[in-house]
Amino acid sequence: MAPEDLAPNPLAEGLEGERRSPPLALVIFGASGDLTSRKILPALERLARRRALSPNLVVVGVARSDMDDAQFRELALKVVPDPSPAWEDLVASFRYVAGDYTDPTTFDRLGQVLADLDQGAGTAGNRLYYLATVPGLFGPVARSLARAGLSRAPREGGFARLVIEKPFGRDLASARELDGELHGAFEERQLYRIDHYLGKETVQNVLALRFANTIFEPVWNRRYVDHVQVTVAESLGVGHRGGFYETAGALRDIVQNHVMQVLGLTLMEPPATVEAKDIRDEKVKALRSIVIPAPETVAADVVRAQYDAGWVDGEYVVGYREEEDVSPDSTTETFVAMRLEVDNWRWAGVPVYVRTGKRLPKRFTEVALQFQRVPHLSFATSQSRDLLPDALVVRIQPDEGITLRFGAKVPGQAFAVRTVSMDFSYGAAFMEESPDAYERLLLDAMVGDPTLFIRSDEVDQSWRIVEPVLRAFEDDSVPLARYEAGTWGPPESDRLLARDGRRWGAF
Ligand code: BG6
């Protein structure tokens, strides 16, 4: 068995908190870029601060920018506002390789640096490559690494792993093409595809909630659940990422990855163990049970929309078409709502509604299960007018926790029943601070735990679900609706649920 397969699984072994990276060279491609400064280096700093990194860990930056080791170190100190002494120590060993990603000599020089580090800095022939580049370079960099003999560990027992970030392709065909390129250079067990939603504590808590308790799982199915809702709402617009967003849209940016991953965990069957393979097998099985939208039903079951100017948080904001680097006649969607169906024993007949959008009134992500009404309500309508169906809401962010909504008697002489809610809040229940998603995932990749990374077949399945919708957007068979910034999307989104006698949120 390959060494990667033997890595400790913290979910399985309860090692979180004591975990520490092995000696390794962390090679960041795109070292002078935005992702490195915004996410990777700050996450590394937090890991260094809490002593989760081996003293024999060395960061090697690779990028086209003409920098030397000293300038890269300066950058690494600058991007962290209040750097710890542990960070300063770590940064002092940072190395930098400048060069073009298509030039083989870049990889030869990198190979030399890595060999030197194994000799002089004790990195032990372990390599973690992080592709923080534009997606067009994923395949070429992987290929160049393989060509330079860097996609395999130089010694028995060492490892070489490749971390990549979405987008994993633009559609099913390009995702498969990318996979082909990656698999030409690395084996699947070496690939760590990041979806930062899986690094969120509350997303992982869906597993704990469902499979560590007896009271939820028995009702987590078609016999009790009326429908499922997933909302990923953002109040921000596209900011300075207009150029990128124009090529993506909400379906590619959020639904194909984050929403599908959350759905996978929500809909899956209990895994045999919490080992990576078991969890990923069950997730992909759940995704395979989601009915692929038929071209003729897409228009009825999907809403596509774009925001106009409006007010968010008391501030006037421009419409999407007026954003920086956005075409004035752009048809890119900033909002998607969909009705999905799941064909399996657990969920047959239970619709799953998902929605995501930018410039909505507030930022929150949640998964809600609304339960069926009781088969017979003994109370008169006048006594139960304010009674909503029971619901269980997993609040993924920002106010992390769980809400259970149910009916209770209103105090007083009369017998009236009204909806109340019981709240569990992470902030109130735990003293421990949640690690940031990148911090968590970076350490997972270092110790070789792939549980919270996306396997190739999951990417494939997610694209298969969104592919017909992408096509329908492209050929305009789903018209582009409009919504004012600071509202909950277009009226079509409410109508999608109203048609089935249901409504969004209000949990
Ligand atoms: C990213 C998207 O994957 O997720 C962004 O590209 C989006 O457009 C972000 O804003 C949302 O992440 P979070 O963690 O803020 O919910």
Side-chain angles (χ1 to χ4, degrees):
M1 190 184 280
E4 278 86 346
D5 299 328
L6 296 173
N9 175 336
L11 288 180
E13 301 181 19
L15 291 177
E16 184 54 49
E18 301 148 33
R19 292 191 308 158
R20 200 171 206 228
S21 82
L24 63 93
L26 169 61
V27 182
I28 306 174
F29 291 94
S32 56
D34 185 53
L35 181 68
T36 304
S37 305
R38 256 184 334 108
K39 297 288 185 189
I40 305 174
L41 295 178
L44 263 182
E45 194 275 336
R46 285 188 296 273
L47 288 170
R49 187 187 287 256
R50 61 179 182 86
R51 308 268 167 213
L53 301 180
S54 158
N56 302 106
L57 181 148
V58 179
V59 174
V60 182
V62 185
R64 265 174 304 203
S65 311
D66 193 17
M67 273 195 286
D68 58 17
D69 291 346
Q71 286 165 311
F72 182 45
R73 291 171 192 168
E74 222 172 275
L75 180 146
L77 290 176
K78 215 175 55 199
V79 295
V80 174
D82 180 20
S84 54
W87 181 240
E88 288 166 359
D89 284 352
L90 182 70
V91 169
S93 67
F94 274 26
R95 301 289 300 272
Y96 185 76
V97 176
D100 198 293
Y101 298 118
T102 53
D103 178 359
T105 66
T106 305
F107 293 83
D108 294 339
R109 278 181 290 121
L110 173 64
Q112 192 53 54
V113 170
L114 293 175
D116 291 350
L117 290 175
D118 286 343
Q119 285 296 317
T123 45
N126 294 330
R127 289 106 169 71
L128 183 65
Y129 303 110
Y130 200 123
L131 290 190
T133 63
V134 291
L137 290 171
F138 292 172
V141 172
R143 211 177 316 126
S144 300
L145 282 168
R147 226 182 270 139
L150 298 174
S151 60
R152 298 282 173 270
R155 66 166 186 94
E156 185 75 11
F159 61 79
R161 302 182 185 128
L162 184 73
V163 180
I164 56 173
E165 290 262 345
K166 76 176 182 75
F168 311 121
R170 290 186 45 72
D171 53 17
L172 184 60
S174 56
R176 286 181 174 169
E177 198 178 309
L178 171 64
D179 240 29
E181 282 182 278
L182 295 174
H183 287 153
F186 287 83
E187 288 173 35
E188 177 62 23
R189 66 179 171 80
Q190 297 175 284
L191 296 173
Y192 285 67
R193 296 179 192 81
I194 284 199
D195 183 311
H196 79 281
Y197 263 61
L198 290 179
K200 292 179 192 279
E201 287 284 334
T202 34
V203 172
Q204 295 162 43
N205 192 41
V206 174
L207 289 175
L209 176 77
R210 293 190 55 197
F211 305 130
N213 300 296
T214 46
I215 58 172
F216 300 116
E217 208 41 32
V219 294
W220 205 274
N221 57 52
R222 64 190 300 277
R223 278 190 294 283
Y224 296 95
V225 176
D226 175 76
H227 72 280
V228 178
Q229 292 187 14
V230 176
T231 298
V232 179
E234 296 187 88
S235 55
L236 291 177
V238 290
H240 300 300
R241 298 166 72 229
F244 153 76
Y245 202 83
E246 279 284 88
T247 66
L251 192 65
R252 288 188 174 95
D253 192 38
I254 301 281
V255 178
Q256 184 273 333
N257 36 72
H258 307 326
V259 168
M260 288 299 156
Q261 284 300 314
V262 170
L263 272 182
L265 294 172
T266 306
L267 304 176
M268 73 190 238
E269 295 299 317
T273 73
V274 287
E275 293 295 341
K277 179 173 187 312
D278 289 336
I279 291 191
R280 300 201 293 182
D281 283 353
E282 291 302 340
K283 258 196 307 160
V284 80
K285 231 170 75 192
L287 293 176
R288 279 165 50 86
S289 303
I290 295 179
V291 178
I292 299 193
E296 58 281 9
T297 61
V298 171
D301 288 343
V302 180
V303 176
R304 161 195 183 215
Q306 190 186 71
Y307 64 81
D308 288 323
W311 292 82
V312 180
D313 277 338
E315 205 182 300
Y316 179 78
V317 296
V318 298
Y320 177 70
R321 287 174 173 172
E322 286 109 47
E323 298 276 16
E324 188 184 318
D325 297 329
V326 169
S327 153
D329 51 10
S330 168
T331 55
T332 302
E333 80 285 356
T334 59
F335 179 98
V336 173
M338 282 168 78
R339 178 188 194 278
L340 294 167
E341 283 178 3
V342 189
D343 257 357
N344 62 21
W345 277 53
R346 184 185 283 264
W347 296 113
V350 178
V352 174
Y353 303 96
V354 304
R355 64 176 167 166
T356 183
K358 296 219 183 262
R359 288 292 188 221
L360 301 184
K362 62 177 182 170
R363 171 177 182 253
F364 77 91
T365 298
E366 68 181 28
V367 181
L369 269 61
Q370 182 166 310
F371 294 96
Q372 294 166 15
R373 293 214 182 242
V374 292
H376 167 69
L377 197 60
S378 312
F379 312 103
T381 315
S382 60
Q383 293 172 302
S384 56
R385 194 174 295 121
D386 298 326
L387 188 62
L388 298 168
D390 299 344
L392 182 73
V393 184
V394 181
R395 302 191 310 271
I396 288 172
Q397 62 184 24
D399 170 26
E400 290 87 355
I402 292 170
T403 302
L404 182 63
R405 183 178 79 182
F406 56 98
K409 182 185 173 301
V410 179
Q413 299 296 332
F415 202 100
V417 184
R418 198 179 68 203
T419 291
V420 295
S421 57
M422 201 156 73
D423 266 347
F424 151 68
S425 148
Y426 262 82
F430 296 110
M431 300 297 287
E432 294 86 350
E433 212 182 300
S434 296
D436 154 87
Y438 272 85
E439 190 182 333
R440 163 78 205 223
L441 295 173
L442 208 51
L443 189 55
D444 281 357
M446 288 174 184
V447 302
D449 176 13
T451 315
L452 300 176
F453 295 83
I454 307 180
R455 212 168 54 188
S456 164
D457 50 356
E458 296 179 63
V459 176
D460 201 82
Q461 195 53 39
S462 310
W463 277 119
R464 291 185 63 212
I465 297 164
V466 300
E467 178 87 6
V469 184
L470 274 178
R471 299 291 159 247
F473 286 7
E474 273 161 18
D475 69 19
D476 264 336
S477 49
V478 176
L480 183 71
R482 312 211 61 84
Y483 63 104
E484 197 181 318
T487 65
W488 288 111
E492 286 83 344
S493 165
D494 293 329
R495 286 206 284 269
L496 180 71
L497 271 70
R499 190 182 72 187
D500 296 345
R502 303 184 173 106
R503 66 192 183 96
W504 287 112
F507 294 115

